[in-house]
Amino acid sequence: MRKLSRMLAFVLAVSMLFGLVACSNSSNPGSADNAADTSTTQGTGPDGSQPEQASADGRHQGGTVNAGLGRNPGDFFTPYNAGVVNSYGWAALEPLAWRKSDGNFYPVLAESWEMNNEDNTLTIKLRDGITFSNGDSLNAEDVVFTHTVRNEFGTQTAIGSPTKIEALDELTVQFTWEDFGLNYEQMVLPQYIYSKETYDEMGLDWMLNHMVGTGPYVLDEYIPDVGLTFVRNENYWSETIPGPDSFKWTVIPDTTANLAAFLNGELDYMIQVSDPNVIQQLESNGFEGIVDPTAQVFCCQIQIINKDPNDPLSNPDVRAAVYNGIDWDDLALTAIGPLAYHSDMIGADNMPYYKESIEQSEFNLEAAKKALADAGYPDGFETVIYGASSDAAAMTYMQAALDALGIKAEVVTVDPSLRGSEYVTGKSVDAGFVFSGYGFNPNNPMDRFNKFISPDGTWAGGVTYEQELVDLWEQVKAAKTLEEQTELLYQYCDMYVNKYHYMFPAYNSTSLSFRQPWYHQSDLVNGGNGNDPFEIWVDEH
């Protein structure tokens, strides 16, 4: 059943050209066969070239780009919580370097950078003369602050938990890690940079609801639950090219309303469209879906919070019984449709560490009931399922499946902006299931593990890990080559899902993006921070 479902999804994906435009810190780690070598990157392509861009001829200055947001914007300060800000923050916030869809990094705030694998250091030289939208000058201390403040919020794993970050001079920053790692550049370069002076003056709460960046746009208006608008930054530090006068995001959580707004011409594009009924309506109206060249796949996972040692979910035998007592292929079909499939892999089956042998689960309701009884719960137990409104279909299906096992589960719908920061981290709950989803990119297999799915990641707060898995994770981080890292990641996934069942991979889903004929985008940024605003323009219409 699983293999058939996977093959069906693949055939559909190829024949219909499905892809996903999503947020993830994607990267292409490159070769690391000789881990002791010192490498230097100047932010150009492998031949020293700059990324291809559409000619300025044909671009139009002016107009507003209109887009919909499926959830409330908020938490603008990414060292505290990356959250949904990556969906739109790129209009006003800038990273050290963009990673374009060709897999290469191109400088933005950084002029150059050098990774020394002997000393485990990354040295970054900043451009001179950059200013934030409020007039503050960008210097090395801002970069140091942006990343050292992560220690207060538990997000330091996003950059590999460096042991030292220091300013060597006004425009030079050096990161140092205790151990060798293959992915440090890919972790640090795409991160947005914030003003230390503004943070010191205004504080965290202000930073979470206001946006001071170095980008070509500034936040003009923000209304919670309604939307936000960006306008041109008249004091931008660099030259600009023709593009929109403004970007406007409107909160439209309802899929039907989002579709109607797009068909009426009120929205310029739709991303992450996977509902076959919506796709059919769009195609019947003459729109053609667009493939994301970064080949990301959206993965819905159910993190199991097991902080309470007395809760049934702290027993791995209980988790195993539940996992094999749910028909995941049917859940994927019911929740998403034929574009979704289930896999026992963390991530999608196009990840470099995927092996068919990972597929070990098998739906067997009677066997699952017996296993649950053998674990000490013949009459089941009570628990809670947490998730956003967008997870409603999948949560309802899981609730019914648990009921068939004798487990009574309450479904609790939570604010999507809090789901990642409060629930999946175990800050707000001691036990239960939490639906969560992320885009996975095969070019950066370590990103989601470093940030979330590891003893170092933010999800660790809600999980009690066995020492065996902690030790294996240390081996993954210490891998000297991509080949070694890939094999260890497979072993890690197998232990995480199939042995201890810390997570239930629910389904993977491909999707399409749709654009109005007047909306143009010449490149996608493959770096976790949305899009390069200089790659976007709209025609008069």
Side-chain angles (χ1 to χ4, degrees):
M1 176 81 174
R2 180 186 300 109
K3 184 64 175 179
L4 178 62
S5 176
R6 185 181 304 111
M7 290 177 65
L8 174 61
F10 175 76
V11 171
L12 285 170
V14 173
S15 63
M16 298 179 69
L17 297 178
F18 282 109
L20 173 65
V21 177
C23 299
S24 75
N25 269 3
S26 309
S27 64
N28 184 357
S31 175
D33 292 335
N34 188 347
D37 286 349
T38 299
S39 61
T40 302
T41 306
Q42 296 297 331
T44 61
D47 59 354
S49 63
Q50 294 294 324
E52 293 186 5
Q53 295 188 2
S55 169
D57 296 337
R59 294 192 181 217
H60 291 263
Q61 173 71 32
T64 297
V65 170
N66 293 282
L69 279 175
R71 54 178 173 166
N72 185 44
D75 287 359
F76 299 157
F77 189 52
T78 55
Y80 177 81
N81 178 27
V84 73
V85 69
N86 285 335
S87 300
Y88 51 78
W90 45 267
L93 303 171
E94 290 184 312
L96 294 168
W98 287 123
R99 192 180 192 95
K100 295 302 181 92
S101 56
D102 63 5
N104 295 307
F105 276 113
Y106 297 91
V108 182
L109 302 181
E111 181 179 278
S112 64
W113 54 89
E114 178 180 347
M115 185 70 210
N116 187 320
N117 289 326
E118 291 182 342
D119 298 332
N120 302 324
T121 60
L122 173 62
T123 305
I124 297 168
K125 181 70 173 180
L126 298 174
R127 296 181 190 269
D128 194 10
I130 296 178
T131 56
F132 289 92
S133 59
N134 65 352
D136 293 347
S137 296
L138 173 75
N139 56 47
E141 289 297 338
D142 295 305
V143 179
V144 173
F145 154 74
T146 296
H147 293 302
T148 54
V149 76
R150 291 177 177 278
N151 295 321
E152 297 181 24
F153 310 126
T155 64
Q156 66 271 28
T157 58
I159 56 170
S161 301
T163 55
K164 182 190 298 184
I165 308 174
E166 58 183 332
L168 302 185
D169 58 43
E170 188 174 355
L171 295 175
T172 308
V173 183
Q174 187 170 84
F175 293 72
T176 303
W177 290 267
E178 182 177 359
D179 301 307
F180 170 82
L182 291 171
N183 311 104
Y184 294 141
E185 280 178 282
Q186 289 74 28
M187 295 178 182
V188 171
L189 293 177
Q191 304 295 333
Y192 296 140
I193 302 302
Y194 293 84
S195 166
K196 179 180 185 301
E197 184 176 346
T198 301
Y199 183 90
D200 290 343
E201 179 181 354
M202 308 304 297
L204 174 62
D205 289 342
W206 190 92
M207 297 290 286
L208 290 174
N209 294 283
H210 298 78
M211 198 177 297
V212 174
T214 59
Y217 293 83
V218 295
L219 181 61
D220 181 59
E221 182 181 50
Y222 165 51
I223 304 176
D225 297 314
V226 176
L228 64 173
T229 302
F230 295 87
V231 297
R232 282 271 186 172
N233 180 1
E234 299 300 330
N235 299 311
Y236 184 57
W237 57 271
S238 184
E239 295 182 1
T240 62
I241 58 177
D245 287 333
S246 60
F247 287 86
K248 181 178 181 179
W249 277 267
T250 303
V251 177
I252 311 176
D254 181 72
T255 302
T256 302
N258 201 22
L259 172 64
F262 180 80
L263 292 177
N264 290 335
E266 298 168 19
L267 299 181
D268 295 324
Y269 63 86
M270 293 178 66
I271 65 173
Q272 300 180 18
V273 181
S274 57
D275 187 323
N277 294 322
V278 174
I279 291 172
Q280 183 179 14
Q281 291 188 60
L282 288 166
E283 291 178 338
S284 66
N285 279 273
F287 292 96
E288 182 178 353
I290 299 171
V291 177
D292 174 13
T294 61
Q296 297 187 34
V297 175
F298 177 81
C299 302
C300 177
Q301 300 136 5
I302 303 169
Q303 186 68 18
I304 301 171
I305 309 303
N306 64 351
K307 289 168 55 179
D308 182 357
N310 297 316
D311 189 87
L313 293 179
S314 292
N315 185 334
D317 293 333
V318 170
R319 300 196 296 267
V322 174
Y323 190 54
N324 289 289
I326 297 176
D327 188 338
W328 297 106
D329 292 307
D330 193 45
L331 181 148
L333 182 65
T334 302
I336 298 297
L339 304 182
Y341 67 92
H342 170 72
S343 171
D344 293 335
M345 175 62 68
I346 299 177
D349 61 6
N350 67 335
M351 301 300 286
Y353 50 86
Y354 177 80
K355 295 181 183 180
E356 179 66 28
S357 56
I358 197 77
E359 310 296 0
Q360 298 174 30
S361 65
E362 183 176 357
F363 171 60
N364 188 322
L365 181 59
E366 294 307 315
K369 287 181 177 180
K370 182 179 184 305
L372 197 60
D374 291 342
Y377 297 92
D379 300 319
F381 54 89
E382 295 182 358
T383 189
V384 182
I385 302 172
Y386 301 93
S389 57
S390 58
D391 303 312
M395 290 194 296
T396 299
Y397 185 100
M398 184 176 179
Q399 182 185 42
L402 292 176
D403 186 67
L405 287 168
I407 300 171
K408 304 301 179 183
E410 177 188 3
V411 171
V412 176
T413 302
V414 302
D415 185 332
S417 64
L418 298 178
R419 178 178 56 181
S421 62
E422 295 294 324
Y423 291 89
V424 80
T425 59
K427 293 180 181 178
S428 297
V429 293
D430 292 326
F433 301 98
V434 183
F435 274 79
S436 193
Y438 299 91
F440 277 78
N441 190 293
N443 288 332
N444 187 10
M446 283 289 285
D447 176 68
R448 296 309 181 193
F449 293 90
N450 283 319
K451 287 183 177 179
F452 308 112
I453 316 163
S454 70
D456 296 333
T458 56
W459 290 7
V463 182
T464 302
Y465 291 115
E466 295 289 340
Q467 187 61 43
E468 181 183 21
L469 185 118
V470 176
D471 294 341
L472 179 56
W473 176 245
E474 292 300 318
Q475 294 180 48
V476 173
K477 292 192 297 182
K480 299 298 183 182
T481 66
L482 291 177
E483 292 76 14
E484 181 186 5
Q485 184 184 81
T486 297
E487 174 58 32
L488 288 168
L489 275 176
Y490 165 80
Q491 295 177 26
Y492 182 84
C493 290
D494 188 33
M495 186 180 295
Y496 200 102
V497 175
N498 289 321
K499 183 172 182 178
Y500 292 117
H501 299 90
Y502 293 125
M503 170 203 291
F504 294 171
Y507 60 81
N508 300 330
S509 177
T510 54
S511 63
L512 284 174
S513 295
F514 292 86
R515 300 175 183 174
Q516 299 286 3
W518 57 78
Y519 175 87
H520 303 280
Q521 186 167 349
S522 55
D523 193 16
L524 294 170
V525 170
N526 186 8
N529 294 337
N531 301 296
D532 182 345
F534 290 136
E535 301 286 356
I536 297 171
W537 73 98
V538 290
D539 299 330
E540 296 180 7
H541 61 279

